[in-house]
């Protein structure tokens, strides 16, 4: 079964600085998709970034980028120039056939 | 386009009762997935519907069921409620439901079982 592990329950970053959230996953598949979702206190899940496993190039969305290491089954999220609005729970997710598996989440605090 | 909507937003039930939650996907989206979020178990996949058919199912007991209508709206039903069913229930929609699709989530229904 596919599992997703986020080893950092909580992370803290100073405003304007950079933080990296870790995620590892387990799968025997070669073609799959990985996502980072953000869940602010409103509880609305918001897509941050997605990565197709067949693409070697790391995905980037403005201040958010990933470091995708397929052989190591690692998918970390880097947030640059952190802003107060980035404070939220961040979930790493894996999907193969629309059966999405989530990690336990990392709570990110941004200090002013 | 309007986002995914879920009704009701909050619900309080007692043990043994049953409950029905509703999800309206983004217009044009035909796939609807349901998730349960609890502090202890995190986010867990319940099931996915596409064109009125259940296509994927997570590891939940038969008390959890769902359906999808011809307009892609979906309902989730939980019978014989237990205290452990207290959770945030999220639905997500996407166009086709394949791996290339991105799921868009609704705001959730907070269910409390007393």
């Amino acid at each position: 079964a596919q599992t997703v592990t986020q080893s950092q329950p909580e992370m803290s970053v100073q405003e304007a600085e950079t933080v990296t959230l870790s995620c590892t996953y387990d799968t025997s598949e070669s073609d799959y998709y990985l996502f980072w979702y953000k869940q602010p206190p409103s509880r609305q899940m918001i897509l941050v970034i997605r990565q197709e496993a067949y693409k070697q190039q790391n995905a980037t969305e403005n201040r958010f980028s990933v470091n995708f290491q397929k052989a190591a089954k690692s998918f970390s999220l880097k947030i640059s120039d952190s802003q107060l609005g980035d404070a939220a729970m961040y979930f790493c997710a894996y999907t193969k056939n629309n059966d999405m598996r989530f990690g336990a989440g990392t709570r990110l605090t941004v200090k002013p | 386009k309007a986002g995914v909507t879920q009704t009701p937003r909050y619900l309080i039930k007692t043990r043994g009762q049953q409950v029905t939650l509703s999800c309206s996907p983004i217009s044009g989206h035909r796939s609807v997935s349901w998730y349960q979020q609890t502090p202890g178990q995190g986010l867990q996949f319940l099931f996915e519907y596409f064109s009125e058919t259940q296509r994927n199912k997570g590891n939940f007991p038969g008390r959890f069921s769902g359906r999808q209508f011809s307009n892609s709206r979906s309902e989730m039903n939980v019978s014989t409620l237990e205290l452990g069913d207290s959770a945030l229930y999220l639905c997500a929609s996407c166009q086709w439901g394949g791996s290339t699709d991105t799921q868009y989530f609704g705001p959730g229904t907070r269910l409390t079982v007393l």
Side-chain angles (χ1 to χ4, degrees):
Chain A
Q2 296 83 9
T3 57
V4 180
T5 303
Q6 292 178 250
S7 59
Q8 306 152 317
E10 295 184 357
M11 290 284 284
S12 179
V13 63
Q14 205 70 35
E15 193 176 6
E17 301 207 333
T18 295
V19 64
T20 298
L21 309 184
S22 301
C23 173
T24 58
Y25 58 94
D26 182 32
T27 184
S28 57
E29 303 286 347
S30 59
D31 188 20
Y32 48 87
Y33 291 77
L34 298 164
F35 302 83
W36 278 97
Y37 278 91
K38 167 185 174 181
Q39 189 178 42
S42 68
R43 310 299 274 173
Q44 178 82 49
M45 294 282 280
I46 301 165
L47 176 68
V48 175
I49 200 166
R50 59 176 274 164
Q51 173 80 42
E52 292 88 343
Y54 65 86
K55 288 187 178 178
Q56 292 185 333
Q57 187 174 6
N58 289 325
T60 300
E61 286 289 341
N62 301 313
R63 298 182 294 107
F64 299 88
S65 61
V66 298
N67 183 3
F68 174 49
Q69 301 290 328
K70 191 172 183 180
K73 296 179 184 174
S74 170
F75 182 61
S76 60
L77 174 69
K78 185 171 86 171
I79 305 174
S80 304
D81 185 27
S82 297
Q83 301 175 359
L84 295 178
D86 295 334
M89 281 289 286
Y90 285 81
F91 292 95
C92 176
Y94 162 104
T95 188
K96 168 65 180 177
N97 294 313
N98 215 38
D99 171 2
M100 190 170 283
R101 308 288 171 143
F102 289 87
T106 297
R107 182 174 302 282
L108 178 66
T109 303
V110 181
K111 297 179 180 177
Chain B
K1 275 185 180 177
V4 179
T5 58
Q6 291 186 246
T7 57
R9 293 293 310 277
Y10 302 91
L11 208 46
I12 299 176
K13 292 285 187 179
T14 57
R15 279 182 299 174
Q17 287 187 310
Q18 75 165 20
V19 67
T20 299
L21 312 181
S22 180
C23 173
S24 292
I26 291 172
S27 178
H29 285 191
R30 294 170 62 186
S31 168
V32 174
S33 297
W34 288 90
Y35 297 87
Q36 181 196 64
Q37 186 176 24
T38 60
Q41 299 297 318
L43 275 156
Q44 292 184 287
F45 172 74
L46 279 154
F47 30 64
E48 183 237 352
Y49 285 86
F50 180 80
S51 291
E52 303 177 65
T53 301
Q54 187 181 89
R55 218 164 42 166
N56 286 299
K57 189 176 188 304
N59 189 25
F60 277 81
R63 299 186 297 107
F64 292 82
S65 62
R67 60 177 174 169
Q68 187 180 34
F69 301 95
S70 58
N71 62 357
S72 294
R73 188 178 70 86
S74 177
E75 287 182 347
M76 191 192 97
N77 185 274
V78 188
S79 62
T80 321
L81 284 166
E82 300 177 0
L83 295 178
D85 297 333
S86 293
L88 180 69
Y89 289 89
L90 295 166
C91 87
S93 77
C94 56
Q95 274 195 307
W96 302 106
S99 297
T100 55
D101 253 342
T102 294
Q103 294 192 30
Y104 295 90
F105 284 80
T109 294
R110 169 76 64 187
L111 171 65
T112 302
V113 182
L114 302 175

